[in-house]
């Protein structure tokens, strides 16, 4: 079911980008046993965990990766973390998809960094 949703999302994004001439922006890969989508500088991955558990796993991942947390905010259906890696800003957004599924989006820097973002997603998965 999740794989179907991700595949549908990728297909819709490919269609949208093909109409604007930016189809090369979509990349996919594997991160610690799961799949993530990298679009326009942002990596996204869904986890089989509720919002609270995913939020605290993201905080733990930031600490393990020596990211300095500047702000963190958790609401009923979404959460966010703003952290720094030296002078680079890291934005982590978490969205509740269902009671047991959360989607995490990571943007490393202004333009994004796929390798750094996927490393953060992998560390969040390890912390779950």
């Amino acid at each position: 079911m999740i794989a179907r949703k991700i595949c549908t999302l990728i297909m819709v994004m490919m269609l949208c980008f093909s109409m604007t001439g930016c189809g090369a922006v979509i990349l996919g890969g594997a991160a610690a046993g799961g799949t993530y989508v990298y679009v326009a500088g942002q990596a996204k991955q869904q986890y089989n965990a509720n919002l609270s558990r995913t939020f605290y796993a993201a905080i733990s991942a930031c600490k393990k990766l020596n990211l300095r947390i500047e702000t963190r905010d958790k609401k009923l259906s979404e959460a966010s973390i703003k952290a720094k890696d030296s002078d680079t800003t890291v934005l982590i957004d978490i969205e509740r998809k269902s009671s047991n599924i959360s989607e995490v989006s990571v943007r490393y820097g202004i333009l994004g960094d796929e390798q750094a973002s996927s490393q953060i997603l992998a560390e969040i998965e390890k912390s779950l």
Side-chain angles (χ1 to χ4, degrees):
M1 184 73 171
I2 293 173
R4 182 193 282 171
K5 287 182 181 180
I6 291 173
C7 185
T8 303
L9 175 67
I10 291 171
M11 296 300 279
V12 169
M13 288 188 295
M14 288 175 63
L15 178 63
C16 291
F17 284 125
S18 69
M19 293 188 320
T20 62
C22 295
V25 174
I26 296 179
L27 301 171
T35 57
Y36 70 92
V37 178
Y38 188 76
V39 179
Q42 194 170 32
K44 293 185 178 188
Q45 183 170 352
Q46 289 189 350
Y47 298 101
N48 290 323
N50 65 34
L51 180 76
S52 291
R53 189 169 160 223
T54 306
F55 178 66
Y56 293 113
I59 291 171
S60 176
C62 287
K63 290 177 182 178
K64 289 178 184 175
L65 294 170
N66 295 319
L67 301 176
R68 188 178 75 252
I69 297 173
E70 292 188 331
T71 62
R72 58 184 175 179
D73 183 39
K74 182 177 162 294
K75 297 177 182 168
L76 188 60
S77 62
E78 63 185 19
S80 63
I81 299 169
K82 181 179 177 183
K84 286 279 193 176
D85 182 20
S86 299
D87 59 346
T88 304
T89 301
V90 180
L91 301 174
I92 301 171
D93 293 312
I94 306 165
E95 182 180 348
R96 178 184 185 263
K97 293 295 186 180
S98 72
S99 60
N100 291 323
I101 297 177
S102 299
E103 182 177 78
V104 178
S105 302
V106 177
R107 178 180 293 277
Y108 185 93
I110 295 171
L111 299 176
D113 180 325
E114 183 178 7
Q115 185 176 7
S117 297
S118 68
Q119 182 180 6
I120 293 167
L121 289 173
E123 195 61 47
I124 291 170
E125 186 165 5
K126 287 179 191 176
S127 297
L128 283 172

